[in-house]
Amino acid sequence: MSEDVRATIRDFITGNFPDLALKDDEDIFELGFVNSLFAMQLVMFIEKTFSLRVPNQELRLDSFRTIDSMAKLVERLSSDAQISTG
Amino acid sequence: MTVPATDPGRSRHAQYPGRKETAGLDKIRAFVDTEIAPFADAWDQAEQLPSELLTRIGELGLWAPFLPPDDGGSGMDWTGIGQVHEEIGRGCSSVRSFLTVHTMVTWTVQRWGSAEQQARWLPRLATGELIGAFCLTEPDSGSDAAAMGTVAQPADSGWILNGHKKWMTAGQVAGLLLVFARTEAGMSAFLVPADTPGVRISPLNAVMGTRASMLAEIVLREVHVGPDALIGPPGWAAGTVMTGALDLGRYSVACGCVGVVQACLDACVAYTSKRRVRDGRLSELQLIRRKISDMVVSSRAARLLCAEAGRLKDTDDPATIMATWVAKYHASTAATAAASDAVQIHGANGFVSDYPVARLYRDAKVAEIIEGSTELQQITIADEAYREVAR
Ligand SMILES: Cc1cc2nc3c(=O)[nH]c(=O)nc-3n(C[C@H](O)[C@H](O)[C@H](O)COP(=O)(O)OP(=O)(O)OC[C@H]3O[C@@H](n4cnc5c(N)ncnc54)[C@H](O)[C@@H]3O)c2cc1C
């Protein structure tokens, strides 16, 4: 699953910023292309694509810093959702 | 003689081709025609909205109908909210401004609030017992929100806020302030009851447009709030609370501007059908008819762009953010163009408060400044265009 999640997130980011050659562990905030508008789009994209709601405590820059950290967030929240729905 | 801004007898919106209207919109239209539009100029002159009107809006469930019924709303979707804000904007942009900021604050509590924050604030926000004010702009920080000077420092139990906010719509009567401030972690958002010691609210009068929107300047001096005042992710309010709320504000303003264009059209059709000049009725003159046709086309185009933004919101599609920028840019510039033509068509009568178009002209201009100015929209939309081409 993890590679699929990574690829989906990568596609969304590079779909918006086609000139970007982004590695999975690269800090997207340090690269300087993420403004507040794209940050919100990213949160919405992750919530819609993976059918989850990112709770406040997970809405940290660190959770969204790299493709890897976003994929981990998705996996964490998806397994939480599976546990809570039994 | 005063030509009314609207003609209550005519259900003119039934003519919008193919539009599915939200339930009860006909009642809201009647409310606007009878209880808002006829009084909008008087409120504009008095520079305030009567408290009975705010109560009436609550009785009609219009403060936050997007909330689920359990939280006091009616679960209305964003497409429906857009139609409601268009109707209200047709009657009075000051009233629409109240709904805009109240929507931004209430949505923030619903979307980012903890269960405790929601239980504490939503019931009173839903009824309008408590009006929300959105407090981002400062005397030296407008378009550039990152230049904000207001700070929140952690205290023994909670936070101490210091800063100066300016241009808060509904600030004179708001009970709950959504205040953006810097913290060590970055920009954060706080829910501050307006009666908290250290909050000083002063009215801003003699503004050019949306004069009845009861603007205020708000100074925060050593304002102590509890830990539960912090809302949303600490340090990352810019990419979440602020952008999300501004997106809805932009949507509301865009829809309100569709109403402004419609009001210009209605006023001009009524006026030109009666007014005679040497060459006949104004309505018979080609140069006048051209302006009327422009209003018809721009209102429909703006309405469709707003409907598209609303549809994307209703499906949680991230594309709604750009669609809303596009809708607001088009609708706000269409509104200023239509209002300018409307004043022109009315001649000297367009220059006085006997007719609604002078107010529409002043109100329309505000929409090009707030929720992302025209220039910021042009920058953002063009950036997106270059990205799209490169895709
Ligand atoms: C009636 C009214 C109601 C308001 N209500 C609220 C409210 O409820 N809450 C709130 O927080 N604020 C509110 N505001 C403030 C509003 O959001 C700001 O006025 C707006 O963000 C613009 O900021 P500014 O006025 O400081 O203009 P500036 O940021 O000083 O901009 C001045 C001009 O420069 C242009 N400009 C700025 N940056 C650039 C750039 N990079 N490139 C090109 N041009 C640029 C702008 O488009 C504008 O034309 C309200 C304002 C008004 C007039």
Side-chain angles (χ1 to χ4, degrees):
Chain A
M1 162 176 176
S2 189
E3 187 39 44
D4 286 353
V5 173
R6 280 195 184 83
T8 308
I9 297 170
R10 196 183 308 120
D11 284 353
F12 180 71
I13 298 174
T14 51
N16 278 277
F17 299 93
D19 296 337
L20 205 68
L22 188 63
K23 298 198 200 84
D24 288 355
D25 59 354
E26 221 164 352
D27 187 329
I28 62 168
F29 298 110
E30 257 178 23
L31 290 174
F33 67 90
V34 181
N35 58 12
S36 54
L37 217 140
F38 185 67
M40 184 75 197
Q41 287 172 322
L42 202 51
V43 174
M44 288 181 79
F45 169 78
I46 286 185
E47 292 191 333
K48 183 174 165 69
T49 308
F50 302 104
S51 307
L52 43 87
R53 176 55 72 100
V54 185
N56 279 343
Q57 66 272 17
E58 293 282 11
L59 273 166
R60 288 175 275 112
L61 286 181
D62 283 345
S63 308
F64 289 83
R65 206 171 277 291
T66 63
I67 292 178
D68 279 340
S69 62
M70 284 183 259
K72 279 195 193 115
L73 172 76
V74 169
E75 282 174 8
R76 208 163 48 241
L77 293 175
S78 305
S79 63
D80 283 358
Q82 270 165 16
I83 291 164
S84 65
T85 54
Chain B
M1 186 197 74
T2 301
V3 177
T6 51
D7 173 357
R10 234 173 81 201
S11 179
R12 57 175 60 80
H13 293 224
Q15 64 195 260
Y16 301 157
R19 180 164 96 157
K20 187 172 172 289
E21 294 199 337
T22 194
L25 196 66
D26 49 341
K27 285 201 193 73
I28 292 160
R29 189 169 296 139
F31 167 62
V32 171
D33 286 338
T34 55
E35 297 181 57
I36 292 187
F39 306 102
D41 281 307
W43 299 334
D44 179 73
Q45 309 225 325
E47 297 191 59
Q48 55 180 296
L49 298 177
S51 59
E52 304 80 60
L53 173 76
L54 307 185
T55 307
R56 262 306 269 148
I57 292 173
E59 285 167 4
L60 293 168
L62 297 183
W63 282 115
F66 56 89
L67 290 175
D70 282 354
D71 288 326
S74 56
M76 188 183 281
D77 61 17
W78 290 104
T79 303
I81 300 288
Q83 293 175 2
V84 172
H85 288 205
E86 175 191 330
E87 283 302 326
I88 304 281
R90 183 171 60 80
C92 175
S93 290
S94 291
V95 181
R96 195 271 309 141
S97 303
F98 261 61
L99 288 183
T100 300
V101 292
H102 191 76
T103 299
M104 294 161 82
V105 174
T106 307
W107 173 83
T108 296
V109 177
Q110 184 209 11
R111 174 64 180 84
W112 309 104
S114 63
E116 293 74 28
Q117 285 169 326
Q118 292 179 356
R120 180 170 176 199
W121 300 115
L122 287 183
R124 283 181 291 156
L125 289 168
T127 58
E129 181 190 334
L130 206 60
I131 304 283
F134 183 81
C135 308
L136 177 66
T137 310
E138 302 183 356
D140 296 320
S141 153
S143 309
D144 182 13
M148 171 185 301
T150 299
V151 289
Q153 283 167 320
D156 285 348
S157 56
W159 299 85
I160 306 267
L161 274 68
N162 278 291
H164 186 170
K165 299 288 179 181
K166 196 170 178 187
W167 311 111
M168 275 64 250
T169 297
Q172 295 177 32
V173 290
L176 184 63
L177 314 176
L178 176 62
V179 177
F180 291 84
R182 291 178 175 287
T183 59
E184 211 170 77
M187 190 200 284
S188 300
F190 297 85
L191 292 170
V192 180
D195 58 3
T196 310
V199 175
R200 205 184 70 225
I201 300 180
S202 328
L204 283 171
N205 290 319
V207 289
M208 183 173 109
T210 56
R211 285 164 64 92
S213 62
M214 304 183 82
L215 292 176
E217 186 161 4
I218 300 179
V219 174
L220 307 139
R221 283 277 168 271
E222 297 295 309
V223 175
H224 191 175
V225 289
D228 58 343
L230 180 74
I231 183 157
W236 201 25
T240 55
V241 181
M242 183 188 84
T243 307
L246 284 174
D247 171 63
L248 291 179
R250 214 164 277 139
Y251 177 61
S252 165
V253 170
C255 297
C257 284
V258 180
V260 169
V261 181
Q262 186 67 44
C264 290
L265 176 60
D266 296 345
C268 288
V269 167
Y271 186 79
T272 55
S273 301
K274 293 190 177 133
R275 179 80 178 175
R276 286 189 162 277
V277 291
R278 196 190 57 187
D279 294 323
R281 268 209 188 88
L282 286 179
S283 60
E284 290 155 6
L285 307 181
Q286 296 301 319
L287 288 172
I288 299 292
R289 293 175 79 93
R290 187 238 156 114
K291 290 183 173 55
I292 300 287
S293 67
D294 283 351
M295 289 179 202
V296 170
V297 173
S298 66
S299 65
R300 289 194 187 189
R303 188 172 290 119
L304 285 170
L305 287 172
C306 288
E308 175 68 354
R311 186 184 65 76
L312 291 167
K313 286 187 199 316
D314 288 330
T315 52
D316 295 322
D317 193 319
T320 190
I321 305 237
M322 276 316 300
T324 304
W325 279 88
V326 171
K328 197 266 187 173
Y329 176 49
H330 179 76
S332 59
T333 49
T336 49
S340 174
D341 279 351
V343 170
Q344 193 68 21
I345 285 174
H346 282 66
N349 282 330
F351 232 64
V352 288
S353 60
D354 293 352
Y355 294 84
V357 293
R359 171 178 46 83
L360 294 168
Y361 181 73
R362 290 182 284 102
D363 287 355
K365 191 61 195 165
V366 176
E368 282 205 59
I369 295 171
I370 53 172
E371 320 297 357
S373 65
T374 289
E375 288 74 16
L376 287 198
Q377 280 158 353
Q378 289 163 337
I379 291 167
T380 309
I381 293 167
D383 280 351
E384 173 75 359
Y386 284 107
R387 278 200 299 272
E388 266 187 3
V389 169
R391 246 173 240 169

